[in-house]
Amino acid sequence: MRSDLMKKGIERAPHRSLFKAMGYTDLEISRPLIGIANSANEIIPGHIHLNEIVRAVKAGVYAAGGTPIEFGTIGVCDGIAMNHLGMKYSLPSRELIADSIEIMAVAHPFDALVLIPNCDKIIPGMLMAALRLNIPAIVVSGGPMLAGRFKGENIDLITMFEAVGRVKAGRMKVRELIDLEDSACPGCGSCAGMFTANSMNCLSEALGLALPGNGTIPAVSARRKRLAKEAGGKVMELLKKGIRPRDIATLDAFKNAIAADMALGGSTNTVLHLPALAHEAGIKLGLDLFDRISKKTPHLCNMRPGGPHHLQNLDEAGGVPAILAELNKKGLILVSPLTVTGNRVGENIKGVKVLDNSVIRPANNPYHREGGIAILKGNLAPQGAVVKQSAVSEKMLKNTGKARVFDSEEEAVSAILKSRIKPGDIVVIRYEGPKGGPGMREMLTPTSAIVGMGLDKEVALITDGRFSGGTRGAAIGHVSPEAAEGGLIALVKEGDSIEIDIPKKRITLKVSESELAKRRKQWKPPAPKVKEGYLVRYSRMVTSAATGAVFKK
């Protein structure tokens, strides 16, 4: 056992004395030591209850003959960090989370790990650590929040962001906004739609690193605690069988995760996180692979923010296993990859059926013929840009408009809320990429403001930053190369014509090459927005969004 490095033999008597100082018995020390990475805190609704999940995991580990040892990690609430300096730290926190788990699991050589995340960057950060360390590991999340209710309708956090725009446009009274505020988020869990956290929790299932149900069982359900106990026992099986994360997360497994992503209509942030996970496993996952899988994978689920359904509805319809089973009918799933169940994908989905065809449509009658996410290229994004095409109105799939250019999210939001953006405009927000932001902020506030102002079927938004999984409308992000690295988005001027053609996967700045050459000669990199602290180091180390915004070698 790895843990023998810190507990076995005469030389480790001092080490054992330190364990005994914490109350561990000789029997507990002699057993496999299982690290429990707990991201519980009192600032994220999705994490406020994770100590309960940890207790259930520990019970499962103890019952299976292991000794669970808990340690903590950080986490950022994207909703609370949104639209201020704090959001610059969200994506960068992913690398710190992975690094912190690496440090804990190498400094104290655990035999296996159970990873307990729930929200946006914590999930990929923990999965990155698992693949980097490559010791037996399993992920069990805290589960999704239930939808709120207001005047007989289901609502969620995105309802709140869009309501702000409605108030500013005079389409809603402040009193109603306050009433919504009291109802939108009814309790613990990751926000209720197919936003980034729930997308990644579902994809951890499809990838094989979490048990069936991990992505969809509600946070408040007793089934969630039973799942956690099962995960605690299952990690002991993985240890006994010598099954490691890289045995599970093969290229074929990543292809399954991408296919599930397309069927779900997941967050565009998955196009950042899946390549980052693959990078840790020594696998290259380019944007072209996302594009190829999207073209042949039908969009089966109309989840919030693009549609009416929440995670509880998906869970009742059969969850991720039902989606994989439906895709398998068309030969769109690879059945041979191993999973943390100890079985292969094909065995896991054998006999699984969709329980509600209004939530998970048949593969021969999808919402859209292509997957929920599209990769766009063109002179404005030669390395690629990303859009959740399933959340774009049909009217906006092909669009040519006038550029309205802003060098920060704050400037754009101010213009939108002051009614300076008009139908037909294309809002361009630049210098918000991984390097230029720094930190590649999510921009739920401007996209929600556009929706709230009633302009989502008439105004597009393009950025080298990124969007929340809760964004809907013609919102195109991850434009690469980013402005801070001299990408063409840095050369766009107010009033330039931009052509968007999502069906043809093109995004084009309609400016002559000679004019662009003149502009390039005049362009100078702007002064860094942040001059001290972690973000300065992050901006020097981070790579393009097109490669998952991982660190340079």
Side-chain angles (χ1 to χ4, degrees):
M1 292 189 292
R2 289 179 82 249
S3 61
D4 286 348
L5 291 170
M6 62 178 170
K7 71 183 187 183
K8 193 171 184 180
I10 295 173
E11 301 86 348
R12 298 296 181 258
H15 304 63
R16 292 192 296 273
S17 71
L18 291 169
F19 274 96
K20 291 177 178 180
M22 295 179 280
Y24 291 101
T25 66
D26 285 323
L27 177 61
E28 287 175 310
I29 296 168
S30 70
R31 290 173 170 176
L33 303 185
I34 311 302
I36 313 292
N38 180 10
S39 55
N41 59 49
E42 296 182 349
I43 192 65
I44 307 178
H47 292 229
I48 193 71
H49 66 303
L50 289 189
N51 286 331
E52 295 179 35
I53 303 298
V54 169
R55 282 194 289 272
V57 168
K58 287 180 176 179
V61 171
Y62 270 125
T67 299
I69 300 177
E70 177 186 347
F71 63 92
T73 66
I74 62 167
V76 172
C77 178
D78 281 25
I80 294 173
M82 196 72 66
N83 195 229
H84 58 83
L85 179 63
M87 181 45 72
K88 292 180 183 288
Y89 287 86
S90 175
L91 182 60
S93 75
R94 185 188 72 179
E95 317 308 312
L96 286 178
I97 291 162
D99 290 350
S100 68
I101 294 171
E102 176 194 353
I103 288 168
M104 291 298 290
V106 176
H108 318 100
F110 298 116
D111 296 301
L113 291 171
V114 182
L115 306 165
I116 305 178
N118 210 31
C119 290
D120 292 27
K121 308 311 165 299
I122 301 94
I123 304 156
M126 287 193 171
L127 289 168
M128 287 166 67
L131 288 162
R132 183 186 302 172
L133 291 161
N134 201 33
I135 61 175
I138 192 168
V139 177
V140 56
S141 76
M145 186 185 292
L146 296 176
R149 295 285 291 173
F150 185 73
K151 294 185 176 179
E153 294 185 1
N154 288 335
I155 60 172
D156 52 44
L157 180 66
I158 306 311
T159 311
M160 291 306 308
F161 275 94
E162 294 176 359
V164 172
R166 291 190 179 94
V167 170
K168 293 287 187 178
R171 300 167 63 207
M172 178 183 283
K173 296 187 181 302
V174 173
R175 179 66 258 171
E176 188 173 5
L177 179 71
I178 300 302
D179 290 341
L180 274 173
E181 179 184 320
D182 291 339
S183 305
C185 299
C188 65
S190 47
C191 297
M194 191 51 71
F195 315 140
T196 303
N198 292 325
S199 296
M200 289 306 300
N201 277 328
C202 286
L203 296 192
S204 65
E205 274 189 64
L207 192 57
L209 292 172
L211 292 172
N214 179 70
T216 59
I217 296 173
V220 295
S221 171
R223 287 170 57 214
R224 175 62 55 180
K225 292 180 183 176
R226 297 200 298 271
L227 183 78
K229 289 180 182 178
E230 186 182 351
K234 192 62 70 173
V235 79
M236 296 299 293
E237 285 185 29
L238 296 174
L239 177 59
K240 289 172 186 173
K241 293 177 180 178
I243 298 173
R244 302 183 180 202
R246 293 187 199 176
D247 299 326
I248 293 169
T250 61
L251 178 58
D252 282 352
F254 277 104
K255 289 178 180 177
N256 283 345
I258 295 171
D261 194 13
M262 298 306 166
L264 285 165
S267 164
T268 52
N269 284 311
T270 59
V271 184
L272 278 178
H273 299 322
L274 288 177
L277 302 189
H279 176 76
E280 297 291 350
I283 297 169
K284 185 175 181 181
L285 215 63
L287 296 186
D288 289 343
L289 181 61
F290 283 83
D291 194 42
R292 289 199 302 273
I293 294 175
S294 177
K295 286 177 180 176
K296 66 180 183 180
T297 306
H299 174 223
L300 304 181
C301 302
N302 201 16
M303 307 291 294
R304 284 281 290 163
H309 299 131
H310 290 87
L311 266 290
Q312 64 208 72
N313 308 121
L314 181 60
D315 186 59
E316 292 163 1
V320 174
I323 290 167
L324 297 179
E326 192 62 32
L327 291 176
N328 191 45
K329 292 178 181 178
K330 295 288 186 180
L332 297 171
I333 289 296
L334 298 157
V335 296
S336 61
L338 191 61
T339 74
V340 290
T341 65
N343 298 322
R344 299 190 181 275
V345 171
E347 297 170 282
N348 288 345
I349 63 175
K350 186 177 181 179
V352 172
K353 295 181 180 178
V354 173
L355 303 178
D356 187 343
N357 283 128
S358 70
V359 178
I360 303 173
R361 281 197 176 182
N364 59 8
N365 182 33
Y367 284 100
H368 301 98
R369 185 176 55 83
E370 291 190 2
I373 293 173
I375 307 299
L376 311 184
K377 289 191 175 180
N379 69 344
L380 194 53
Q383 294 177 1
V386 182
V387 63
K388 185 188 280 195
Q389 61 181 347
S390 59
V392 179
S393 72
E394 192 169 339
K395 178 182 176 182
M396 294 296 288
L397 291 173
K398 296 179 73 171
N399 175 38
T400 300
K402 180 179 66 174
R404 303 297 308 281
V405 183
F406 304 94
D407 287 348
S408 72
E409 178 187 1
E410 288 84 355
E411 294 172 27
V413 170
S414 176
I416 294 164
L417 295 180
K418 289 178 180 177
S419 300
R420 287 167 43 204
I421 303 302
K422 306 300 181 185
D425 287 349
I426 295 179
V427 176
V428 176
I429 305 178
R430 61 192 181 192
Y431 298 107
E432 290 286 5
K435 180 182 177 71
M440 202 181 185
R441 286 192 286 183
E442 279 189 352
M443 298 194 201
L444 180 57
T445 298
T447 57
S448 297
I450 286 170
V451 173
M453 300 287 281
L455 294 171
D456 55 304
K457 292 180 174 61
E458 298 175 289
V459 169
L461 194 155
I462 297 171
T463 181
D464 55 4
R466 62 193 178 91
F467 297 112
S468 163
T471 287
R472 61 186 170 116
I476 299 166
H478 305 202
V479 169
S480 301
E482 62 174 290
E485 293 197 321
L488 194 65
I489 191 171
L491 307 183
V492 181
K493 287 189 175 181
E494 189 83 4
D496 282 350
S497 178
I498 296 176
E499 181 181 16
I500 299 167
D501 191 332
I502 295 174
K504 290 186 178 178
K505 311 293 190 292
R506 300 294 295 173
I507 180 169
T508 308
L509 178 63
K510 309 287 279 185
V511 175
S512 70
E513 288 298 325
S514 59
E515 172 62 21
L516 291 175
K518 291 178 186 176
R519 294 182 189 181
R520 189 166 295 285
K521 287 182 180 179
Q522 296 170 352
W523 178 78
K524 293 181 180 179
K529 293 180 181 178
V530 177
K531 296 181 173 56
E532 60 184 9
Y534 173 57
L535 288 180
V536 174
R537 285 179 280 137
Y538 180 84
S539 68
R540 291 171 182 163
M541 291 294 294
V542 72
T543 62
S544 167
T547 56
V550 297
F551 278 175
K552 297 172 185 173
K553 288 283 189 183

